[in-house]
Amino acid sequence: MNTKSYFFQSFAIVALAFIAFIGFKQILPDKIFSEGKLDSKNVLIDSLLLESVANDSLSQKGDSISEDEKKEAGEKIVFDASEGIEFPPETFDNYKGYQYLISFYEKLYQLEKNPQSKVRIAYYGDSMTDGDLIVQDVRMNYQERFGGNGVGFVSIISESSASRGSVKTLFSKNWKTQSYLNVKRPTSPFGVNGHVFFANDKSNSTWVQYEAGLTKFSTTLDNPTLFYGKASKKGNVNFIIGKDTLRKTLSPNNLVNTLKVTSGSIKSFKANFIQADSIPIYGFNFDNGSGVHVDNFSQRGNSGLPISMFNAGVMQAFNNNLKYDLIILHYGTNVLNYGTKNYSWYQRGMKKTVAKIKESFPGVSILIVSTADKSTKYDLEMKTDSAVVPLMKAQKRYALDTESGFVNLYTLMGGDGSMVKWVDEAPARANKDYTHFNQRGAKAIGNLLYSQLNKGYEEYKVLREKREAGERPKPVRKTKADSVSVIKDSVNE
């Protein structure tokens, strides 16, 4: 075949493929095509989100304002006292829900009194918290004030392993991974991180290696402990620390099992899994046993809906070991791309997610972090995407409905048009996709989140001290003047 005929044949194949694509595009749902709205590359979108969007498309009757939204403007939110403490009333617009964080605040209060005690936070998020962005700054703020060393729970592998500075992870390429984003019925239940891993290569070594990072309070691997699940056969793992090798047995008898690598702090280690192909492996925990510890469970493409698939029994087993006091849900980035302004379907779905968390982690406080600002081009000008505010309000509604705390990240970063400012200012605090923060911006967001949470804590301490003062018995007054003083004291209180 000469060069000219080969060229024309290749051109004809490409032309036919293009015509076929145009034809198929006409009969496929519009929402499959992002119209340039999906800025991130290689982003997975969770299956539950796609199903919810498809169902919403079939039932959508427009973007009319709901009855709930009509009532919101003047609605006054009055809280019932909890443990004798009642935060001041709020409106829907300024809702923060500190009242629902009282159990978390009490644990912080006890930690201040007893530095040897422990507080733990699970931070679930999407690509906004990829690479430990935002979360590492929340963690550092808490550990700076309340103590604590270590990065917390770390998965065997993740998409952001190479970019995470708070802990360095290397791993063999033969791990079998199942994620709650795209697997509904995993071989074994998902772990607290939404993943399960298997060292199922019998021919080659399956390994993972961790090295402490350079971020403050994370320069060592403290009390490294392996978490793994239930299986019918035992396995083995070799831990290589420097020139030493520790050979240990995996006994997968319980829903969740732990195996301590070594006590104290080390800089790095490698774990080789041997004849452990049937055992579900979840990850390692690193903490020094006191102070505040914050686990980052980020997952690109996640809407938050897959958490509703967690196995409550397995989560309770994790919680028996880790003992969470606050769970943060930080989502929204992946829910903005579908052309709707009615997020009642997402509101309903996330209420199921929060219900699963409450079942899985009894008594835990829950904090909802809203979508940040995001900009889209309208008439050649970058402006706040029209879906941002409707989504933020839906997130606030399900926070209120589920008695969760709430951080309005959209207003916290500046509100309308703020993402454009964060991108265009020098030095920039956000990326040119007008969606994600860079490291400088992530640090600012982490500080803003901590500041709001800490403001609630400081208010809690004042209310707590007032309660204690009110509970103390009044001294016996014998004089008339003293009686007047008692009346004045009662009025002041």
Side-chain angles (χ1 to χ4, degrees):
M1 183 181 291
N2 60 41
T3 304
K4 185 177 290 186
S5 61
Y6 178 80
F7 170 80
F8 281 109
Q9 183 176 343
S10 301
F11 179 81
I13 291 171
V14 172
L16 286 171
F18 178 76
I19 293 169
F21 170 76
I22 295 298
F24 279 117
K25 186 177 186 298
Q26 302 305 313
I27 62 173
L28 288 171
D30 290 340
K31 287 183 179 178
I32 286 180
F33 302 94
S34 67
E35 299 180 357
K37 290 186 178 182
L38 290 172
D39 299 303
S40 300
K41 296 180 180 179
N42 303 319
V43 173
L44 294 171
I45 302 296
D46 67 72
S47 58
L48 281 188
L49 175 60
L50 294 176
E51 287 180 15
S52 297
V53 170
N55 291 334
D56 176 59
S57 298
L58 294 174
S59 62
Q60 187 72 32
K61 296 181 181 179
D63 294 330
S64 58
I65 298 175
S66 67
E67 290 300 317
D68 287 342
E69 191 170 353
K70 291 176 182 177
K71 294 187 297 183
E72 283 163 0
E75 183 179 1
K76 191 174 185 180
I77 303 162
V78 180
F79 303 106
D80 294 329
S82 176
E83 304 296 328
I85 293 173
E86 182 181 336
F87 276 87
E90 296 182 298
T91 64
F92 182 81
D93 284 344
N94 69 7
Y95 176 69
K96 296 180 178 64
Y98 293 145
Q99 183 73 33
Y100 303 124
L101 303 180
I102 282 179
S103 64
F104 168 62
Y105 287 151
E106 176 62 20
K107 289 299 292 288
L108 287 178
Y109 186 85
Q110 295 302 328
L111 177 57
E112 274 199 299
K113 300 293 184 184
N114 176 19
Q116 296 307 308
S117 59
K118 186 175 176 180
V119 171
R120 196 172 198 98
I121 301 170
Y123 200 123
Y124 287 91
D126 51 27
S127 55
M128 283 293 189
T129 55
D130 202 37
D132 216 17
L133 291 178
I134 298 176
V135 182
Q136 64 186 2
D137 297 296
V138 173
R139 182 187 301 117
M140 280 190 285
N141 275 301
Y142 270 112
Q143 292 181 335
E144 182 81 57
R145 175 168 179 184
F146 295 95
N149 283 293
V151 296
F153 194 98
V154 180
S155 292
I156 294 295
I157 59 176
S158 76
E159 306 101 331
S160 63
S161 294
S163 61
R164 182 170 180 173
S166 53
V167 63
K168 300 175 184 178
T169 309
L170 297 174
F171 49 87
S172 59
K173 302 301 182 183
N174 53 351
W175 282 98
K176 177 185 175 183
T177 303
Q178 293 188 319
S179 165
Y180 63 164
L181 250 69
N182 43 40
V183 176
K184 286 189 174 180
R185 296 175 182 84
T187 307
S188 293
F190 298 120
V192 68
N193 50 353
H195 291 74
V196 58
F197 305 92
F198 296 92
N200 67 336
D201 189 340
K202 296 182 179 179
S203 303
N204 302 288
S205 174
T206 305
W207 56 270
V208 63
Q209 180 176 317
Y210 298 98
E211 182 181 342
L214 300 176
T215 55
K216 197 172 184 181
F217 308 116
S218 300
T219 55
T220 55
L221 303 175
D222 301 279
N223 299 317
T225 303
L226 171 66
F227 280 68
Y228 61 102
K230 189 171 185 176
S232 57
K233 297 180 182 178
K234 290 185 177 182
N236 297 291
V237 57
N238 290 343
F239 296 115
I240 303 169
I241 307 171
K243 296 181 179 180
D244 298 325
T245 299
L246 306 176
R247 294 176 174 84
K248 299 196 176 185
T249 300
L250 299 172
S251 301
N253 302 318
N254 304 310
L255 284 175
V256 175
N257 307 275
T258 61
L259 179 62
K260 182 168 283 192
V261 179
T262 185
S263 297
S265 302
I266 56 177
K267 285 289 185 179
S268 65
F269 72 94
K270 183 177 182 179
N272 279 325
F273 292 83
I274 302 164
Q275 296 177 337
D277 52 292
S278 65
I279 300 176
I281 308 296
Y282 296 121
F284 286 84
N285 178 54
F286 307 103
D287 73 59
N288 69 330
S290 62
V292 177
H293 301 283
V294 185
D295 302 335
N296 181 1
F297 299 134
S298 64
Q299 172 67 64
R300 297 175 191 172
N302 198 350
S303 66
L305 297 174
I307 293 175
S308 63
M309 297 190 300
F310 275 170
N311 181 306
V314 173
M315 293 305 110
Q316 289 167 15
F318 268 98
N319 199 41
N320 288 339
N321 286 282
L322 297 171
K323 296 179 172 52
Y324 289 105
D325 302 295
L326 175 68
I327 290 182
I328 300 175
L329 302 178
H330 183 167
Y331 295 107
T333 307
N334 302 292
V335 190
L336 286 169
N337 300 308
Y338 296 95
T340 182
K341 296 186 186 72
N342 185 334
Y343 285 100
S344 57
W345 57 273
Y346 184 64
Q347 186 178 333
R348 290 191 299 271
M350 287 304 290
K351 285 171 71 173
K352 293 180 181 178
T353 288
V354 174
K356 177 64 71 171
I357 288 174
K358 290 185 176 182
E359 178 188 4
S360 301
F361 307 96
V364 72
S365 295
I366 298 170
L367 177 73
I368 310 301
V369 178
S370 84
T371 180
D373 188 33
K374 173 189 173 174
S375 296
T376 299
K377 188 173 286 187
Y378 296 103
D379 298 326
L380 302 180
E381 184 180 354
M382 297 301 293
K383 299 178 180 179
T384 290
D385 192 290
S386 60
V388 167
V389 172
L391 175 57
M392 176 273 290
K393 288 185 177 180
Q395 292 174 308
K396 190 185 294 187
R397 288 187 203 107
Y398 82 73
L400 185 57
D401 290 345
T402 59
E403 298 187 344
S404 303
F406 183 72
V407 172
N408 189 337
L409 193 53
Y410 166 70
T411 58
L412 206 60
M413 65 179 289
D416 185 61
S418 54
M419 182 56 78
V420 174
K421 295 176 183 176
W422 283 52
V423 172
D424 293 346
E425 67 188 5
R429 290 188 287 177
N431 298 325
K432 289 292 186 180
D433 64 357
Y434 290 87
T435 301
H436 295 89
F437 302 105
N438 59 24
Q439 283 197 329
R440 186 179 295 104
K443 184 177 184 63
I445 293 296
N447 291 340
L448 287 170
L449 283 169
Y450 171 78
S451 294
Q452 180 171 318
L453 278 170
N454 190 59
K455 182 180 179 183
Y457 175 61
E458 295 299 336
E459 290 183 23
Y460 169 77
K461 288 204 297 184
V462 171
L463 292 171
R464 194 185 192 284
E465 287 164 6
K466 285 184 177 179
R467 184 198 68 184
E468 288 186 342
E471 289 175 352
R472 283 197 292 266
K474 304 287 190 305
V476 177
R477 307 290 191 181
K478 294 186 177 180
T479 68
K480 185 175 181 180
D482 287 338
S483 298
V484 173
S485 297
V486 171
I487 294 172
K488 288 182 177 179
D489 289 343
S490 299
V491 172
N492 290 335
E493 290 172 3

